[in-house]
Amino acid sequence: MSRRGRRLTSVLAVVVLLLFAGRWTAVLLADRWWAAEFSPHAATYLTDWHILRLTLDLAGIVIASAWFIGHLLLVYRAVGTVQVRRSVANLEFREALTPRTLLTVAIATGALLGLLVGVGASGWWREAALAWHGVAFRVTDPLMGRDLGAYVAQLPIWQAGHGFLLLLVLLGLTGVAALYMLVGAIRWIERRPAINTHARVHMGWLLAALALVLAWGYMLRRYEIIAGSLNLAEESNWRTGLLVSPLLAGIALATAALSAMWAVRGRHTLVVAGWIVLAGASLVGHWVLPAVLGGSLARAVE
């Protein structure tokens, strides 16, 4: 991109930021003036509410943008090491892909994706405020030994954070895989898949991150089950969840280790086997065992 183009892009970015900042300031002042007619405390509350929502949005945008830009820059680094086959007439040669504008495109695309993904973080203001202040009922659940306030105040923000991280990892993994296929780092040679070393390392660590996020989700499942209704009809669900969730988390951690090993040493068979075992165990733990235990429980009640 030329110097004039960079300047124009910078000016447009500043104008957009000023427009958003001006709109947010106008809404904040309007709400404060309206609330001040009722009570000074109401004006303070609305100010804190707006600041909390802005902070959550900014945090979500910054984290998501940094995540996407970082992975796009890693893909950009691989472009110089990837060679694409070109055919001219009867001649076939390899051409290295090193476009200079790709760096600007990668940064701009990552920032745009971060804006789209992170801007909804302000919707978690209730969960964030409740988790920040905390709740204590001084009543401990008999299954996990935690105060009931953890399920009311902490669990919702854990779920929101887990969902956000899972979305980032899945989008990063699918986007990176598509880009590597586009530039030729992942391709088919003689009807067999082949992957560039740089792409394998990158995707291996992303798979390890995905497995770790899944392990976190499996551990959260126990708290989600306890936070629900523990009646007799749902006994199969919570009993299976309490027993199976730690096992699934352990399998996910092992899969993360195998994915990291694939990234470092290129053990293709191990990583494929690990993810097959994790997928099968998750299917059995979430669908097969509850159905079997639910059927046996229904027969016992009859």
Side-chain angles (χ1 to χ4, degrees), residues 89-108:
N90 295 327
L91 299 177
E92 181 176 321
F93 61 94
R94 294 180 178 270
E95 178 182 0
L97 300 176
T98 56
R100 295 182 179 179
T101 57
L102 190 58
L103 178 61
T104 304
V105 172
I107 295 175

Side-chain angles (χ1 to χ4, degrees), residues 3 55 113 147 169 201 237 273 281:
R3 181 177 300 178
T55 302
L113 289 174
D147 188 270
V169 174
V201 173
N237 291 331

Side-chain angles (χ1 to χ4, degrees), residues 50-292:
H50 280 289
I51 292 176
L52 175 60
R53 287 174 60 89
L54 178 64
T55 302
L56 290 175
D57 270 340
L58 289 178
I61 292 172
V62 169
I63 293 173
S65 297
W67 172 265
F68 290 122
I69 291 175
H71 287 292
L72 289 175
L73 290 180
L74 288 176
V75 175
Y76 168 78
R77 287 185 56 190
V79 171
T81 64
V82 174
Q83 294 181 344
V84 179
R85 294 181 180 181
R86 302 291 188 186
S87 298
V88 178
N90 295 327
L91 299 177
E92 181 176 321
F93 61 94
R94 294 180 178 270
E95 178 182 0
L97 300 176
T98 56
R100 295 182 179 179
T101 57
L102 190 58
L103 178 61
T104 304
V105 172
I107 295 175
T109 303
L112 179 60
L113 289 174
L115 177 64
L116 295 175
V117 174
V119 74
S122 59
W124 305 332
W125 68 270
R126 299 177 184 84
E127 292 82 356
L130 189 59
W132 177 265
H133 291 285
V135 177
F137 292 101
R138 302 186 184 277
V139 178
T140 303
D141 77 270
L143 297 176
M144 298 295 297
R146 284 184 172 270
D147 188 270
L148 296 184
Y151 302 98
V152 176
Q154 305 299 327
L155 181 59
I157 198 65
W158 294 345
Q159 293 172 321
H162 174 261
F164 184 67
L165 288 180
L166 183 61
L167 179 62
L168 288 182
V169 174
L170 288 176
L171 289 177
L173 182 60
T174 55
V176 162
L179 289 175
Y180 279 131
M181 294 177 63
L182 182 64
V183 301
I186 301 177
R187 58 192 182 275
W188 289 85
I189 299 179
E190 297 179 356
R191 298 182 179 181
R192 297 182 60 184
I195 184 170
N196 179 271
T197 302
H198 183 97
R200 189 200 73 232
V201 173
H202 191 180
M203 294 190 61
W205 287 112
L206 273 175
L207 286 173
L210 176 60
L212 291 176
V213 174
L214 291 177
W216 182 20
Y218 292 139
M219 295 305 296
L220 283 180
R221 178 60 181 163
R222 299 185 300 170
Y223 299 99
E224 294 170 349
I225 293 172
I226 295 174
S229 176
L230 299 182
N231 54 43
L232 182 62
E234 297 177 348
E235 181 182 353
S236 61
N237 291 331
W238 61 262
R239 183 169 58 183
T240 303
L242 294 178
L243 295 176
V244 174
S245 293
L247 178 61
L248 291 178
I251 296 175
L253 291 176
T255 305
L258 292 176
S259 300
M261 185 180 299
W262 179 61
V264 175
R265 299 184 180 181
R267 302 294 180 86
H268 306 293
T269 305
L270 289 178
V271 69
V272 172
W275 280 99
I276 290 177
V277 171
L278 179 59
S282 180
L283 178 64
V284 172
H286 285 101
W287 298 97
V288 177
L289 285 181
V292 173

